[in-house]
Every structure is written in structure tokens, then in C-alpha cells.
Amino acid sequence: EYHHMNLTFKIIRLLVVLIVTPQFIQAQYTETINTNNPGRSQGAFAVGSGVAQFEGSVFYRAEEHKLQGYDRDQTGSSFQLRYGAVTERLEFSVFGNYSRVNQTDYNGSVSTGISFGNFSRFTLGGKYLVFDPFKFFGEKEASLLSWKANNSLNWKDLIPTVSVYAGANLDFSKKNSLTPPDDATISPRIELITQNNWGRWVFVTNLVADRISTDFPSYELLLTMTHSINGKWAIFGEYQAIKSDFYSDDLGRGGLTYLVNDDWQVDSSVTFN
């Protein structure tokens, strides 16, 4: 089991994390930039046909593994390259996560240090929007006579937008301590994605089955709630559960986002297990 250590010092450094999300082309599916950052879940909507979008982040992570007797300090970067093609429902993507690790191994009274770097994830895939309730039922009609009718929820609001994702993990390393032992060069990843838009609140769920054809399959549940405070600021909270023989954890994540303009977003987040 992993435990963060020296929490006060680590939190200060974690708060320095900045995620910068630029977009290159106009006319996306939504009027303003549509991002997955700063959470780890995917939203149901694609960026839009003909739109290329890059999301990048830098991070710091501290780990202590009591059973295997080591401490790790990780610094790294993650990125998403997303491109909408053919239809506004379809998106192709590249997800990457690279870490540089300083590890101290403890063997009784003797400790040794090693350093290494590698990708913990490099995935090519595509996402397709299967069902959009706004297109199926139509936009809610505004009432000129009733504020309650315009702002209350009804049963249609509980029906989420649904997308599916399929991808392939690529790992060409002969030895990679950040992935399962003898990791396959190519392994599948599939996701079921739902999204509910409730005014200024957005709720996203991801059900993930990763490396399912290997000796170390991984299953994940991500629940993300985002709240728009105003036209510029938003906050989010996220829960992530990971179950695998290689790595299992329960993670809580939160942060805030600032919309610089329709095409640029900056944000930061902190994670605890």
C-alpha cells in the first residue's frame, strides 16, 4: 500500500502544479474549450470535427511503499493530444504520462538510491459519442412564466450523455518499473463514459478496463464533479478507485480552473490517497 509522506511539505509542492491547456483551431463542439484536465476522467463529448487540442501538465508525487521497502519522489509530465475527425461525435487521441523517479531502497540499516525515467502510460485510441440526450430529446424549452420550470430538474436530466472509448497501450521498453512485470508491447484499454450537465454542475463517470489481455489487468472507477462558479472560475472534486494485482489505490483529487479565453485554460490540482 502506498502512503504519501511529509504531507505538509509535499502539499506545498503539489500546489505549484500547473496544467496548461491550449487549443489550436476554432469551431469546436462547445463554444469554449472542452477539456479533460485537471481531473483524470474523460468527458463524453469530443472536441469537434476538425479541431486539434493539446492538454499538458507537470506534476510531483511522493510515495512510500512499506511492504517493498522503498520511497519514491516522482516528477514528470502528462499530455493529451485530441483530434476530432469525420463527425462531431468522433475523437482520436494520444495519452502519455512520463515520470522521472528518484528511489531509495531500504534493506535493514542499509539504504541505496537509484534513478530512472520512463512512460507509465502511452495510449492511442478513439472515443465515440453514442447517445446525446440534448440531441435526442431536444433542448429544454424556456418558460416565460415560471422560474421554477426553468431551473428545476426533471427525469430527462438524469439521462446522461454516453460515449465509448477503445485504445491500445504501447510499451516498447525492455524493463519498465512503472508498468506491470513483462508488460505486453501492445495491450487493450476500453472505457464507458457518461456525462450529466446540470446547469453549472457537470458530473462525469468513467468505467475503465485496462490491459485486460495481460497477466495484470486493471479496473478503474472515476467520478468527477465540476462546478462553474462564474464564466471564468470552476472547481472540481474527483474520486478514483484502482484495482489491480500490480497497483491498487483509492484517490481523492480536487482543484480549480481558470478560463483565460475561449481557447486557453490554466488549472491546478492536488491528490491524496
Side-chain angles (χ1 to χ4, degrees):
E1 181 180 355
Y2 287 85
H3 297 279
H4 290 107
M5 57 183 188
N6 300 328
L7 283 180
T8 302
F9 182 59
K10 307 305 182 184
I11 290 171
I12 293 173
R13 286 197 279 183
L14 280 165
L15 289 174
V16 179
V17 173
L18 280 180
I19 301 172
V20 182
T21 313
Q23 177 170 308
F24 302 128
I25 305 176
Q26 297 288 333
Q28 62 265 36
Y29 188 83
T30 54
E31 292 181 359
T32 57
I33 187 170
N34 169 17
T35 75
N36 294 323
N37 277 356
R40 294 297 177 266
S41 61
Q42 287 199 70
F45 292 99
V47 290
S49 181
V51 174
Q53 182 166 300
F54 177 80
E55 302 181 36
S57 64
V58 294
F59 62 85
Y60 171 82
R61 181 176 181 179
E63 296 178 350
E64 178 185 1
H65 200 308
K66 292 184 177 180
L67 294 178
Q68 296 187 14
Y70 67 71
D71 293 342
R72 281 180 179 176
D73 284 326
Q74 295 188 40
T75 56
S77 61
S78 60
F79 64 87
Q80 303 175 32
L81 178 60
R82 304 166 61 190
Y83 181 72
V86 183
T87 171
E88 63 185 14
R89 292 176 175 264
L90 181 62
E91 173 184 300
F92 297 99
S93 59
V94 181
F95 286 79
N97 192 320
Y98 182 88
S99 294
R100 186 67 188 174
V101 180
N102 294 317
Q103 178 172 311
T104 302
D105 293 294
Y106 300 98
N107 183 13
S109 59
V110 179
S111 62
T112 57
I114 59 172
S115 297
F116 57 91
N118 215 322
F119 281 92
S120 59
R121 180 185 179 188
F122 191 88
T123 311
L124 306 178
K127 178 175 66 179
Y128 184 76
L129 192 155
V130 177
F131 177 75
D132 183 353
F134 296 103
K135 295 290 181 68
F136 186 82
F137 295 111
E139 297 286 345
K140 180 188 289 187
E141 295 183 3
S143 172
L144 299 177
L145 303 177
S146 174
W147 180 92
K148 182 178 180 181
N150 291 331
N151 292 275
S152 62
L153 292 176
N154 59 45
W155 67 269
K156 292 180 182 179
D157 297 318
L158 301 177
I159 301 175
T161 302
V162 179
S163 291
V164 292
Y165 169 89
N169 301 301
L170 306 180
D171 185 3
F172 298 104
S173 304
K174 293 182 179 180
K175 182 180 180 181
N176 186 351
S177 298
L178 300 175
T179 58
D182 302 318
D183 194 30
T185 302
I186 301 176
S187 60
R189 179 185 178 98
I190 57 175
E191 301 185 23
L192 176 65
I193 303 165
T194 69
Q195 179 171 330
N196 292 90
N197 293 340
W198 298 317
R200 291 189 175 186
W201 296 87
V202 177
F203 180 58
V204 172
T205 68
N206 287 183
L207 293 172
V208 182
D210 197 17
R211 293 184 168 91
I212 49 179
S213 63
T214 71
D215 294 334
F216 292 90
S218 177
Y219 303 96
E220 297 182 35
L221 168 67
L222 292 102
L223 306 173
T224 307
M225 181 69 82
T226 303
H227 175 57
S228 176
I229 300 172
N230 52 40
K232 291 292 186 180
W233 290 95
I235 58 174
F236 89 102
E238 184 173 87
Y239 169 72
Q240 182 179 13
I242 305 171
K243 180 63 177 177
S244 169
D245 288 341
F246 176 67
Y247 174 77
S248 294
D249 217 337
D250 291 280
L251 302 169
R253 187 175 291 114
L256 70 155
T257 297
Y258 179 72
L259 185 68
V260 179
N261 56 45
D262 287 353
D263 304 308
W264 286 86
Q265 170 185 303
V266 293
D267 42 63
S268 63
S269 62
V270 60
T271 304
F272 300 94
N273 71 341

